[in-house]
Amino acid sequence: MTTTKPATIELETRSALEVLDITDRVDALLGGARDGSCHLFLKHTTAGLMILTGEAGVPEDIMDIFQTLVPRRAYRHDSAAHVAAHFLSGLVGPSVHVPVQGGRLALGEFQRIVLMEFEGPRRREIELRLLAEQGAEKGPSASLGPAAARST
């Protein structure tokens, strides 16, 4: 039987455009689950979640490339920067799904989970759902109650 353990990651971005690595924060909330799946959902429409390489400079280069995808023109909704943030958020998407094996995120050697901020600085909230086979957890940190689930 599969169980779901919810948690929330709250964070503050500091710049208008920012790539923020959240991998270690996600990994810390797994609660010792040996095997399962971790689903992350960003509750915002001007940022996105993706899996990128952690190699130096690549995340920033990708952010620069994203900026070239938005044409300079008059938009019907609000400012051009705001519309661009919505477009890029929709392009990147609000969620990622990562397998969990042996109590850790089963990412590739260079893979990192990042938040792509397109209209900061802002307070952001990511819902984490750990789906694991019942009995797959171990240790005292296996329970993600409301207090243990918050990460700031």
Side-chain angles (χ1 to χ4, degrees), residues 37-57:
S37 183
C38 177
H39 183 257
L40 299 167
F41 179 77
L42 177 67
K43 298 180 176 185
H44 305 278
T45 60
T46 57
L49 292 175
M50 57 189 314
I51 296 175
L52 292 178
T53 180
E55 294 177 275

Side-chain angles (χ1 to χ4, degrees):
M1 179 171 162
T2 303
T3 61
T4 303
K5 294 188 176 281
T8 300
I9 297 172
E10 295 175 339
L11 51 92
E12 300 269 341
T13 61
R14 299 172 200 255
S15 302
L17 302 173
E18 185 175 353
V19 181
L20 188 61
D21 187 334
I22 62 167
T23 309
D24 293 338
R25 294 177 75 168
V26 173
D27 212 26
L29 291 173
L30 296 181
R34 288 188 295 267
D35 296 303
S37 183
C38 177
H39 183 257
L40 299 167
F41 179 77
L42 177 67
K43 298 180 176 185
H44 305 278
T45 60
T46 57
L49 292 175
M50 57 189 314
I51 296 175
L52 292 178
T53 180
E55 294 177 275
V58 174
E60 293 80 7
D61 288 341
I62 290 174
M63 178 63 86
D64 291 344
I65 292 166
F66 278 135
Q67 298 310 304
T68 69
L69 300 177
V70 181
R72 304 287 179 222
R73 54 166 290 197
Y75 291 98
R76 289 176 282 284
H77 172 77
D78 212 346
S79 72
H82 187 66
V83 173
H86 283 297
F87 168 72
L88 293 171
S89 173
L91 188 64
V92 171
S95 63
V96 295
H97 204 104
V98 181
V100 175
Q101 294 175 348
R104 305 286 318 258
L105 293 167
L107 292 166
E109 180 180 358
F110 298 106
Q111 289 181 315
R112 306 297 291 173
I113 303 168
V114 298
L115 179 133
M116 303 293 288
E117 175 62 75
F118 299 118
E119 191 179 55
R122 299 254 177 156
R123 183 187 158 280
R124 299 297 187 180
E125 188 173 302
I126 302 165
E127 182 177 313
L128 179 150
R129 291 280 172 164
L130 176 62
L131 295 100
E133 290 299 315
Q134 195 168 25
E137 302 88 19
K138 63 178 184 176
S141 63
S143 173
L144 291 177
R150 297 268 176 211
S151 172
T152 54

